[in-house]
């Protein structure tokens, strides 16, 4: 439930995680005789026996983001302030992991050179033709029709070669800067 989402969805991830923690706070305030609290206590017991369930996910979410003390004590002084801090931490962790993934990925090396901030790119508004915008976005993330993308997992390195230039790999840099077949498009 709390795996790293796509870039555009991270606010949804943050809000859904915060809603789960808010609900957890509400459950802890219920009297032990309420069914919701009894169900929570049952899940807590299962978690203590090693079964992974919703309670395990809440505990993992809090502990992995530096809030293990909240899990241990089961309360915070000001819930609204805590949830604001919690959301901020989730955004920061998400951004760090995203940038780390981009930096360490061979597949996204060109994209990483041009994507310095986690925000909507200007070409989305500037390029008004929808198909061209889609093609540029696909090219930047490495899922276009060039041979370097199409045959990325091919065992034959020759499959990634440019059909116009002999012996050169058709990758992003080749298409954008080198290949004479794309000269007019570059202009």
């Amino acid at each position: 439930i709390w795996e790293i989402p796509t870039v555009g969805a991270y606010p949804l991830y943050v809000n859904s995680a915060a809603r789960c923690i808010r609900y957890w706070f509400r459950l802890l305030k219920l009297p032990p005789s309420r069914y919701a609290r009894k169900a929570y206590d049952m899940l807590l017991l299962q978690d203590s026996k090693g079964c992974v369930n919703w309670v395990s996910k809440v505990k993992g979410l809090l502990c992995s983001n530096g809030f293990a003390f909240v899990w241990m004590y089961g309360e915070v002084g000001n819930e609204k302030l805590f949830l604001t801090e919690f959301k901020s931490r989730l955004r920061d962790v998400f951004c760090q992991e995203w940038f780390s993934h981009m930096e360490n990925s061979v597949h996204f090396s060109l994209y990483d050179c041009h994507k310095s901030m986690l925000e909507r790119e200007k070409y989305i508004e500037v390029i008004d033709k929808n198909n061209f915008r889609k093609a540029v976005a696909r090219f930047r993330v490495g899922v276009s029709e060039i041979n370097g993308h199409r045959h990325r997992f091919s065992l034959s390195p020759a499959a990634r070669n440019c059909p116009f230039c002999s012996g050169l790999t058709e990758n992003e840099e080749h298409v954008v800067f080198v290949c004479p077949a794309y000269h007019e498009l570059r202009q």
Side-chain angles (χ1 to χ4, degrees):
I1 185 172
W2 289 297
E3 270 123 50
I4 297 298
T6 59
V7 174
Y10 87 94
L12 297 175
Y13 159 76
V14 168
N15 290 335
S16 67
R19 281 197 339 259
C20 286
I21 300 302
R22 190 179 305 122
Y23 181 69
W24 178 68
F25 284 143
R26 284 182 52 207
L27 281 174
L28 293 177
K29 292 177 187 170
L30 290 175
S33 60
R34 299 281 305 267
Y35 285 124
R37 179 59 191 254
K38 287 180 179 183
Y40 170 76
D41 291 339
M42 178 191 65
L43 290 173
L44 190 60
L45 181 64
Q46 286 180 342
D47 174 62
S48 69
K49 293 179 180 178
C51 295
V52 178
N53 56 38
W54 182 81
V55 170
S56 312
K57 300 277 187 177
V58 169
K59 179 173 70 173
L61 183 64
L62 288 168
C63 294
S64 67
N65 288 292
F67 296 109
F69 65 93
V70 175
W71 173 256
M72 289 177 10
Y73 295 114
E75 64 180 326
V76 291
N78 184 337
E79 285 181 22
K80 196 171 187 174
L81 184 63
F82 170 75
L83 288 171
T84 302
E85 176 65 26
F86 181 71
K87 285 179 173 183
S88 176
R89 179 82 52 92
L90 286 179
R91 284 186 199 100
D92 291 345
V93 167
F94 176 81
C95 289
Q96 277 183 329
E97 289 176 357
W98 188 82
F99 282 117
S100 174
H101 176 70
M102 286 294 123
E103 190 174 289
N104 296 325
S105 173
V106 175
H107 176 68
F108 294 115
S109 61
L110 179 70
Y111 186 72
D112 182 47
C113 293
H114 301 288
K115 184 72 172 167
S116 61
M117 298 181 67
L118 192 60
E119 63 184 24
R120 188 177 185 147
E121 292 296 327
K122 296 201 184 331
Y123 73 84
I124 299 294
E125 286 91 24
V126 174
I127 301 173
D128 57 352
K129 294 181 180 173
N130 197 28
N131 288 338
F132 189 62
R133 182 182 327 164
K134 188 177 187 178
V136 170
R138 290 178 59 127
F139 183 79
R140 285 189 68 191
V141 297
V143 292
S144 71
E145 293 298 315
I146 67 173
N147 287 337
H149 295 164
R150 288 178 44 215
H151 302 289
R152 175 180 24 253
F153 301 109
S154 174
L155 296 177
S156 169
R160 292 186 286 275
N161 285 349
C162 178
F164 309 109
C165 306
S166 62
L168 296 176
T169 302
E170 188 181 36
N171 58 17
E172 295 95 344
E173 288 103 80
H174 178 76
V175 169
V176 174
F177 301 114
V178 177
C179 189
Y182 299 109
H183 178 72
E184 286 185 32
L185 185 60
R186 279 194 291 272
Q187 298 301 322

